[in-house]
Amino acid sequence: MQAGKIFLLTGAGISAESGLSTFRDKGGLWEQYNIEEVASLRGYEANPSKVLEFYNLRRNSHGDVKPNAAHFALAELEAAWAPRGGEITLCTQNIDNLHERAGSRRVIHMHGELGKVRCHDCGDITAADGDLSLALGCAACGRIGGLRPHVVWFGEAPLEMDAIFEALAGADLFVSTATSGAVYRAAGFVAAARSAGIPTMEINLEPSDNAGLFDLARYGKASEAVPAWVAEMIKLAG
């Protein structure tokens, strides 16, 4: 088998196995917070201090979390694929940095990154350095109080969609893992791949909301199913 171009989509389930809370699962963040108040532009404009506090808590809770076997397997696939003439595009819906910490180099964060901040006025993006507060200023434009988490809130458009659809259109295989298939626009990627004649596969704990659109499926814990699949792919590519 010749190594080709693989488009990989990952979701909250892959980080949940590392101990990070998801929004949708039982006991997840939707049950603990009014998401409209802490993860929307309207909520930010109504009470920016509350929103910043929420994301400070989320960022601080990530400190002791480590990548799991699924993260490391995808990084291994990326490292093994290029020398074989292939290409991996890893697109994640997650705002953590576990893929990068596991060794993945080319990661598209379509929902932003918790470890970065963005100026609400000029759009300048920098690494987060400690907790956010309304007392901080933007190094680029000087505005005080306008630094917000570099994450996509409900009602906002996902990031890097042009690059995502360009990579997806050129893929030889689309693989979705550890995602519910309920959040658009990511949930629409499988339909876009099918319409382009690209083989599709999901690796999930259980069938996703759009499981019927996938050509192939494997079910089980991401930390077990993903490494097993990666090992097979590397072996097939020689």
Side-chain angles (χ1 to χ4, degrees), residues 4-176:
K5 295 182 178 180
I6 302 177
F7 187 102
L8 292 161
L9 173 69
T10 67
I14 199 169
S15 295
E17 286 199 47
S18 289
L20 292 182
S21 297
T22 66
F23 278 100
R24 293 179 175 274
D25 290 340
K26 182 176 178 59
L29 292 172
W30 276 0
E31 293 185 1
Q32 302 173 44
Y33 296 91
N34 182 331
I35 298 302
E36 283 295 322
E37 293 181 359
V38 296
S40 71
L41 182 59
R42 182 172 62 182
Y44 175 75
E45 292 175 341
N47 193 341
S49 294
K50 182 176 182 178
V51 173
L52 297 184
E53 180 182 0
F54 171 73
Y55 281 96
N56 286 338
L57 288 171
R58 290 194 70 186
R59 187 183 303 108
N60 292 335
S61 72
H62 287 203
D64 296 329
V65 175
K66 298 179 180 180
N68 60 58
H71 294 105
F72 286 112
L74 294 180
E76 180 185 2
L77 180 63
E78 181 186 59
W81 221 237
R84 291 167 167 80
E87 182 177 293
I88 300 293
T89 296
L90 176 53
C91 174
T92 185
Q93 300 170 77
N94 302 332
I95 61 175
D96 59 66
N97 64 354
L98 295 178
H99 282 302
E100 288 89 345
R101 287 170 57 192
S104 291
R105 296 178 179 273
R106 298 176 63 250
V107 184
I108 298 175
H109 285 268
M110 64 180 295
H111 292 155
E113 299 177 68
L114 188 60
K116 295 181 180 180
V117 297
R118 182 168 79 242
C119 178
H120 192 56
D121 288 340
C122 74
D124 184 61
I125 301 170
T126 57
D129 184 16
D131 287 349
L132 287 173
S133 78
L134 295 177
L136 298 177
C138 172
C141 71
R143 160 77 191 279
I144 303 295
L147 292 182
R148 55 163 281 183
H150 180 51
V151 298
V152 175
W153 287 327
F154 289 96
E156 295 183 321
L159 307 175
E160 301 192 57
M161 293 306 297
D162 288 344
I164 288 170
F165 278 114
E166 181 179 353
L168 183 57
D172 300 305
L173 175 65
F174 169 72
V175 180
S176 173

Side-chain angles (χ1 to χ4, degrees), residues 172-214:
D172 300 305
L173 175 65
F174 169 72
V175 180
S176 173
T177 184
T179 179
S180 66
V183 179
Y184 283 82
R185 299 180 68 181
F189 291 172
V190 61
R194 284 180 64 90
S195 66
I198 300 167
T200 60
M201 178 181 185
E202 82 165 347
I203 305 173
N204 227 359
L205 183 61
E206 57 189 23
S208 62
D209 286 6
N210 51 11
L213 295 177
F214 289 92

